[in-house]
Amino acid sequence: MKFINRKFFLSLFLIATVFSFAQKKQKVDGVIAVVGDYIVLDSDLDLEYVQLKANGIDTKDITRCELFGKQLEDKLYAHQAIQDSIVVTDSEVNSYMNEQIDAMVEQIGGMDKVLKYYNKKNEEDFRSYFYDVIKMNKLTSQMQKKIVDDVTITPEEVRSFFKAIPKDEIPTFGAEMEVAQIVIKPIITEEEKKRVVEKLNEIRQEVINGSSFFSKAVLFSEDPGSSSNGGFYKMNRKTQFIKEFKDVAFTLAEGEISQPFETDFGYHIILVEKIKGQEVELRHILISPKVSSQAIKDAKEKIEVIRNKIISKEITFADAAKSSSDEKETRNNGGVLLNPRTMEPRFELTKMDPTLYAQVSELKDGEVTFPLLDEERGGAKFYKIVTVNNRTEEHLAEFSKDYLKIKELALRDKQIQEIAKWSEEKIKETYIKINDEYKGCEFTNNWLKK
């Protein structure tokens, strides 16, 4: 079923997933299948359609039988995960659930709005349904991982895979390019950094003297994700926060306020409100040092000088990046960017970030853009120049030229075969009952055990 993207179903941050599951018990369901210890309800198929539509997927050609087959697969994975003693702990599920609920509360604007949106009576009712969704998906994903974990592929297998592809079915790979950049950041004065630290120390002292941290965060914090909520975050050591922030948060006791500390976003202070086992409930205030207009002007002039030296061939782009770029992640690699999807230094044009695509799509190899004003995650402005090192036009796959991509396809094909073999074996030994209404479906797997 090529239309199914399993990563999508494992991404429980999507509101549609929770919404769909939350509605499940409101419909009087019939059991349409039993797979081991799990059942499939008729409304489960309705929920699949809702999930797909909510994510912009055209469902007109997706049959109910196809969705039913996917439900059977997921239940088989989950059932076998339990048989194989794969453990998904309550703390693991609850931790992940808390992260997602916090994100929903932030996105929608309060727990009361979340409950209303999902038509749930109270938070406990909402959490019970959400818990089941997460547990099922984690069991499924861990079982899938276990099946393919030991699957490897040799160069000879890759070669055989490629040779076996009919000529009229050889894949076409899209145009790609290697992109490099040099970044020059405006210099923030020590006086400005000192001003921010002093302001945070002033706020800290006022809170110690009795002022409300919540109110101070609303008034002064520059974190758009939490300022309106008094700077509140709930986190554990696995939560996706920058390291410097987590390091400070987990050294504080309940009621303690940190000294000002620096991250890529600016300077913070943290107040820890509660510690619940491995979780910390905290509030923070972020203030970023401001860059003067003169500093921005100076940064632009500096990068213009660098660009002119590259254009006049006084220095190569790579050497200029190594000696002058303020971006530590790319500086030592000659400014070359890594594709966040593949972690390789090549970007497929059709899958490139739209902003980056607009900056480089018309560049010729070796051509350098004029200085571009950009922003970091925290909103700090900087200038950059960008070049294209190697461009590959759209082409039919070639073994030597596209070995890594072909290897990925070959490995995926081998993993699919391994999963098919596993499924065939487990279906034979697992109790499975299909409702008569769905016995006419044409399944990929032998669910009817004919």
Side-chain angles (χ1 to χ4, degrees), residues 397-410:
E398 299 175 29
F399 186 77
S400 59
K401 188 176 184 179
D402 302 300
Y403 177 79
L404 291 177
K405 288 187 177 63
I406 295 168
K407 179 182 178 181
E408 184 180 336
L409 293 176

Side-chain angles (χ1 to χ4, degrees), residues 94-155:
N94 285 323
S95 174
Y96 188 78
M97 178 169 63
N98 289 335
E99 291 177 30
Q100 304 311 309
I101 290 177
D102 287 346
M104 293 173 196
V105 168
E106 180 181 328
Q107 183 173 353
I108 297 179
M111 178 56 75
D112 55 335
K113 293 182 180 178
V114 172
L115 297 178
K116 183 178 179 180
Y117 186 83
Y118 297 124
N119 196 26
K120 303 309 296 179
K121 295 181 298 183
N122 50 50
E123 186 174 343
E124 182 180 359
D125 191 25
F126 174 66
R127 283 177 176 272
S128 68
Y129 289 113
F130 197 10
Y131 180 96
D132 290 340
V133 173
I134 296 173
K135 184 77 173 277
M136 169 66 72
N137 278 282
K138 283 189 173 292
L139 285 171
T140 296
S141 62
Q142 289 190 33
M143 189 67 246
Q144 290 172 325
K145 184 176 183 297
K146 181 178 178 181
I147 297 168
V148 301
D149 256 358
D150 295 330
V151 177
T152 59
I153 196 159
T154 66

Side-chain angles (χ1 to χ4, degrees), residues 401-442:
K401 188 176 184 179
D402 302 300
Y403 177 79
L404 291 177
K405 288 187 177 63
I406 295 168
K407 179 182 178 181
E408 184 180 336
L409 293 176
L411 178 60
R412 191 182 308 157
D413 182 70
K414 190 173 181 180
Q415 289 173 337
I416 290 171
Q417 292 180 36
E418 188 67 24
I419 287 174
K421 179 183 176 183
W422 178 92
S423 297
E424 183 179 359
E425 293 174 355
K426 297 306 175 185
I427 286 172
K428 289 179 181 177
E429 62 188 51
T430 303
Y431 175 77
I432 298 170
K433 182 172 178 61
I434 307 293
N435 188 293
D436 290 343
E437 180 184 353
Y438 287 91
K439 286 185 177 179
C441 290
E442 294 184 5

